[in-house]
Amino acid sequence: AVVNLDNSVVDLETLQALYENRAQSDELEKIEKHSKASKEKENAKSLDKPEQFLYELSLIPNFSERVFCILFQSTFSESICSIRRKLELLQKLCEVGVMQVLGLVLAFGNYMNGGNRTRGQADGFGLDILPKLKDVKSSDNSRSLLSYIVSYYLRNFDEDAGKEQCIFPLPDPQDLFQASQMKFEDFQKDLRKMKKDLRVCETEAAKVYQLSLEEHLQPFKDSMEKF
């Protein structure tokens, strides 16, 4: 199944478990030493089932290298798609009404600070001021800056305001929450790991090409080169 890439016989989950529990070089050395010594003695104790199983696994041509490549190939697309979905969500949120609303906040802030050369010509603002918009009141105390920005947006930007087809101009709160949890450091970390594993995969695949018998090269070689 490993040599023929047949997941119907040994599924990927089982393959992962086999790979994680394979005999390490020092363990395999002891098993092979015992096995060799047993053949030379008449009443020697045979290997227990776990050790026998590990020994037989090691007889599969380039088991470790093959399985690493198979497992990495199986998760690569899913990992890339997961990162892409998050980034596309983030991009979508940046492109919808958020920019217009934040633009209005900046414009009104600059207008209100118009007499101040430094504060009245700001290129941006800290997001921590957003909760304070409701606390800035008009001179007669009848409305807040927040309500004024909302009404201005509805009058000047939302063509469907008051109609049945009118939609909420800001993103879905759940999407906003998901985006707020994203960290570019995490994306970079995940991509660095994938890049590293991809290089290891190339190295391991090259070992299989070099060390395998001709009869054990396919379909592994074609599958990996295509990947």
Side-chain angles (χ1 to χ4, degrees), residues 27-222:
E27 295 170 324
L28 195 55
E29 194 178 324
K30 291 175 184 175
I31 292 172
E32 288 175 342
K33 190 176 179 181
H34 177 85
S35 183
K36 188 177 179 182
S38 298
K39 291 176 183 176
E40 295 169 358
K41 297 177 184 176
E42 286 188 12
N43 298 318
K45 187 179 179 184
S46 59
L47 288 168
D48 280 345
K49 283 187 178 180
E51 284 74 23
Q52 182 66 31
F53 181 70
L54 292 177
Y55 175 67
E56 290 180 16
L57 263 189
S58 73
L59 299 180
I60 297 173
N62 303 104
F63 173 79
S64 177
E65 293 86 353
R66 286 175 185 271
V67 175
F68 179 90
C69 294
I70 293 167
L71 293 173
F72 180 69
Q73 182 185 16
S74 72
T75 58
F76 183 82
S77 294
E78 186 181 336
S79 300
I80 284 287
C81 288
S82 173
I83 293 173
R84 182 184 290 132
R85 279 196 301 271
K86 290 175 183 176
L87 289 174
E88 285 175 348
L89 173 63
L90 193 61
Q91 185 177 5
K92 184 183 80 173
L93 295 184
C94 291
E95 290 173 350
V96 292
V98 175
M99 290 184 74
Q100 289 178 332
V101 173
L102 295 182
L104 283 179
V105 174
L106 178 64
F108 285 126
N110 278 336
Y111 181 81
M112 290 167 65
N113 291 318
N116 187 312
R117 283 190 175 183
T118 53
R119 295 179 63 193
Q121 297 178 349
D123 294 320
F125 58 87
L127 295 180
D128 58 334
I129 75 158
L130 292 177
K132 301 173 185 174
L133 296 179
K134 66 181 186 301
D135 301 325
V136 179
K137 305 289 185 180
S138 59
S139 56
D140 61 0
N141 219 33
S142 63
R143 67 189 312 186
S144 70
L145 178 57
L146 177 62
S147 67
Y148 184 75
I149 289 173
V150 170
S151 62
Y152 188 93
Y153 178 88
L154 292 172
R155 285 198 312 273
N156 295 278
F157 291 97
D158 193 342
E159 296 176 357
D160 295 323
K163 301 175 184 176
E164 283 188 14
Q165 62 266 37
C166 177
I167 59 171
F168 186 59
L170 298 180
D172 181 271
Q174 185 60 34
D175 288 346
L176 275 175
F177 176 75
Q178 282 185 33
S180 73
Q181 305 302 303
M182 294 179 195
K183 295 180 181 175
F184 284 111
E185 293 87 351
D186 292 341
F187 291 135
Q188 289 167 340
K189 182 181 174 184
D190 290 343
L191 288 170
R192 274 197 300 269
K193 185 179 186 309
M194 290 178 69
K195 189 175 183 180
K196 179 185 173 185
D197 286 348
L198 185 58
R199 285 174 177 163
V200 173
C201 185
E202 289 174 338
T203 303
E204 299 294 79
K207 286 181 190 174
V208 177
Y209 306 157
Q210 185 180 357
L211 301 172
S212 287
L213 297 174
E214 188 68 31
E215 63 198 83
H216 296 145
L217 266 180
Q218 300 298 357
F220 180 85
K221 192 170 188 288
D222 283 350

